[in-house]
Amino acid sequence: QADFQSGTLTNVVATAAGDLELANNPALSFDGVDDYAQIAANGFGKFNIQSFTIEAWVYVGALANYIIVWSYDYTSHVEPYYAQHLRIESGGAVFLGFNIAGVFKKLVTASGAITAGAWNHVAAVFTSGKQEIYVNGALKASSGETGSVTYYNQPVWVGRANFGYTKACILDEIRIWNRARTQAEIQA
């Protein structure tokens, strides 16, 4: 498991307001304009794993397209777009983008999975043969794509992707695990 208290923050406000933990471990408040955290200048050798779980607590006052939780991208915003990408869509759907052998794939929940004006726990699980998205511990979408993710010598961000910055949100407890966590573990 990795926790990102040591990421490089750009224009992000660390806030205890609405935080799930103590004030000495604040949530990150993104204004929706130019805020982001760089987790690694190059994710290769750090996050290029074939089984992973990305988890975060997400608070959005209003749903908007491209609330970006996590993004380890391709070299530009053309197919295959991402190696690992987790975001919220305008209708409250959760989107997991990835590629199998350099071919773009995605898993998206139905609209309404995320509730505006409340904290939502989001978890995306990837391993060959199983991809799942959980919201508040409930399985909301699954697929069975097989193969390996292709990774690139690219930055890893919270609140940013190769196409721009996140919309306004507060993110807390952002974690990536180097394995596919079970539903029981996610619920705990």
Side-chain angles (χ1 to χ4, degrees):
Q1 164 199 341
D3 192 343
F4 305 110
Q5 296 175 1
S6 60
T8 303
L9 302 179
T10 301
N11 303 318
V12 178
V13 175
T15 178
D19 192 12
L20 297 173
E21 291 192 353
L22 303 174
N24 64 354
N25 184 17
L28 300 177
S29 181
F30 298 83
D31 67 7
V33 178
D34 58 359
D35 299 2
Y36 69 96
Q38 182 169 296
I39 305 309
N42 179 357
F44 205 78
K46 299 176 184 82
F47 299 107
N48 56 314
I49 47 184
Q50 295 301 326
S51 289
F52 60 85
T53 303
I54 302 167
E55 291 185 86
W57 283 94
V58 180
Y59 182 93
V60 294
L63 294 171
N65 216 12
Y66 304 125
I67 296 168
I68 305 164
V69 176
W70 174 270
S71 203
Y72 181 170
D73 294 346
Y74 181 54
T75 56
S76 62
H77 197 63
V78 297
E79 194 165 326
Y81 303 112
Y82 321 104
Q84 305 165 335
H85 182 86
L86 181 61
R87 72 176 185 238
I88 311 302
E89 303 275 283
S90 61
V94 180
F95 172 104
L96 172 64
F98 54 95
N99 72 66
I100 299 290
V103 177
F104 172 64
K105 305 286 183 179
K106 66 181 178 180
L107 177 61
V108 183
T109 69
S111 293
I114 296 296
T115 303
W119 282 102
N120 296 267
H121 183 262
V122 177
V125 176
F126 177 92
T127 194
S128 181
K130 180 177 85 171
Q131 298 80 47
E132 298 172 326
I133 297 175
Y134 294 88
V135 178
N136 298 323
L139 179 64
K140 296 292 184 176
S142 63
S143 67
E145 299 283 349
T146 59
S148 298
V149 173
T150 301
Y151 287 95
Y152 311 95
N153 296 324
Q154 293 296 307
V156 178
W157 294 305
V158 167
R160 180 178 178 184
N162 58 23
F163 60 83
Y165 302 97
T166 188
K167 299 299 188 229
C169 65
I170 301 174
L171 301 175
D172 201 7
E173 296 297 306
I174 306 154
R175 290 184 164 78
I176 185 167
W177 302 77
N178 62 356
R179 63 186 178 83
R181 297 186 79 209
T182 66
Q183 184 173 16
E185 290 172 321
I186 289 166
Q187 289 172 335

